[in-house]
Amino acid sequence: METSFALTGKGYVIVAADTTAARSIVKMKDDQDKIKELGSHLLMAYSGEPGDTIQFAEYVERNIRLYQIRNLYPLRPSAAASWIRRSLAESLRSRNAYTVNLLIGGYDLADHKPTLYWIDYLGTVVEVPFAAHGYGSYFALSLLDRWAIALTRGRPRRHTDILLRYHNPEATLEEGLATLKRCINEVSKRLIVSPDRYKVKVVDKDGVREVEL
Amino acid sequence: MVGKDCVAIASDLRLGTQALGISSNFQRVPVSHFSRVCPSLTICQVFPITDRLYVGLPGLGTDVTTLYERFRYRVNMYTIKEEREIHPETFTHMVSSTLYEHRFGPYFIEPVVAGLSKLPTGGLKPFIAAMDLIGCINFAKDFVVAGTASSKLYGVAEGLWEPDLEPEDLFETISQTLLNAVDRDAFSGWGAVVHVITKDRVISRTLKARMD
Amino acid sequence: MYTTDSIIYRSDYDILSRRSPIPEYVPSHLLYPTTQSTTILFIVEYAMEAISHAGTVLGVLAKDGVVLVAEKRVTGKLLDLSSAKEGGGGYGGSGEKMFLINSNVIGGVAGITSDANSLVNYARSVAQRYLLQYNQDIPVEQLAQRLCDMKQGYTQYGGLRPFGVSILYAGYDPHYRFQLYHSDPSGNYSGWKATCIGANNGTAQSLLKQEYKDDMGIDEAIKLVLKVMSRTMDSTTLGSEKLEIAVLTYDEAAKKPKAKIYKPIEIDGLLLMHEMSKKTEEAMKS
């Protein structure tokens, strides 16, 4: 089943999504790219109702591009996330709502920060250090909480410290990719309908690029 | 909650999809964050409207953001045209009418307003109010609650609150009320934020809470 | 069919400039918007001509801020200024010609006041709508563009008159930092280091051209602006009853732009500081 992950590290955001296109129980394709490059420094992983996803992703892509053509500079990641959220929130109360869940990863050239937004089909948006959508999220989110504790190399002193200590925003890209691999392995191990291939993209100060795991 | 020449407003910080927690710090607004949780995707956030006025928006996550943005729009236009800050009473009616505009397809939010209102004499009077999701206002003299833990909040608040609390005592009362109610509710918690609004300043504190 | 329009039209400009901007020898059919597209262009020209008789507004861009100064024309001892005395209290526009448009933009207007009020309201809505959509302040150039789209629309079709207003926009955004733009009734806009609209703008511009320096700080810019103003205004002495001043800077602590429209008492203080007020001049004479 569809799964996407994203996590931030020192100066970058990694976004990963499975590559399966399925109808019912049949796998139609296993090299589908579900991560759109919305700009030189902006990535969007999308999942949800098959027709809606592509339609909505292209609508977003074209509008973000239009903004850049009109104004010469691109939308900042936070502004793009707000605009996309609003589109979904307006769609939610329309006759035919888009059922699309998104992860927006970007590098803001104005304040030199990597940012990640978790957005669901209702138009809920929240900025997070790591995020996931789909069945994989049930495994990945708890793993990321725990994995990050291991990175602190110390026993959390109190129960309440756990979530405050999870994220290592200073991890290098190699460490970040290793963490991502653990998520993918965990999902493969525990989820009955786990996807077997993922596409992984990274955005940092140099822009977006695809990486091989 | 109302105190002696002060009011307090508090909220938890969880954002979740049903039982799955997504974020323990939904903060996109400077100064304060948000909070209150919920059944199918909810959060509540407490937002500063002016220096002396806060609104908490517990309910569906998407509507928290949408409503906050709409109120910001209307309050900004009000402030810039009137050249003065909006009063808590006026703001409450603005919130109420915005909600009632969607009477037959409502925003799933039950707002809580807390602030100090100016008296004609120049003094300040504590003001709190809560609304249901279609904007029916409840002006209260003691405390108001809303969100997934509201039934538990009523019980604890009923037991702990007393009239004319000083700011520090009010802080303790509202914090204990929220933390204990939220611990009995599966959908709320994951940290909390408290603002005590007094004549001279706003005391904002983030509380640690159980993370389960 | 356009008779009524033409009366309103001409009288508006008469009030503005205190003399008719429309020469008597212009054939009357050229004055009114008709389906002939060329005639409407005259009207835009007249609107711009009319503005060059309106109260002066000038703006100067400094490396750490932008300053706007305006000359107030509506004065008199019977005029009730009690609300203007208070200034904007930091929440809005204070006077006749300076308006806070958004937290990052101040506008200074020259021309027909009623048209300007309507445009300012439109600008504020545009800025708030942008904030609603993108959760960030509108970039200054986009705001100027949106107003120009509106202004241009009124030069395109018959039956309407253009907005008789020029605007200076002093603003800040993270893309180009401090900026100063000018827009005119035709819907053209342009960015400036220093510029002037309204009466005597030619004199002011040549003065600015001489005295402007690229590395000026905001204090120097204020000083320059007051100096130019004192030379271009009809009256010989400067005072808060004739002047409005607004400054846009960046608050490093709060990490956001800070717009300040000076209150009358602060303007007098500023003039005193720069030794340009009535009192000091009188003192010097004696």
Side-chain angles (χ1 to χ4, degrees), chain B residues 69 72 76 80-81 83, chain C residues 93 100 121 128 131-132 135:
Chain B
E69 288 171 354
R72 181 180 57 186
N76 282 353
I80 208 167
K81 283 186 178 173
E83 301 190 4
Chain C
L100 184 67
N121 182 45
Q128 285 302 312
L131 183 66
L132 195 64
N135 265 321

Side-chain angles (χ1 to χ4, degrees), chain C residues 159-200:
Chain C
L160 295 165
R161 64 174 180 82
F163 284 98
V165 184
S166 275
I167 308 177
L168 291 188
Y169 311 82
Y172 174 92
D173 65 52
H175 302 288
Y176 302 119
R177 299 188 45 88
F178 295 107
Q179 294 150 76
L180 175 65
Y181 292 97
H182 162 233
S183 75
D184 68 21
S186 72
N188 277 327
Y189 77 94
S190 41
W192 297 86
K193 290 173 177 172
T195 193
C196 176
I197 53 177
N200 297 325

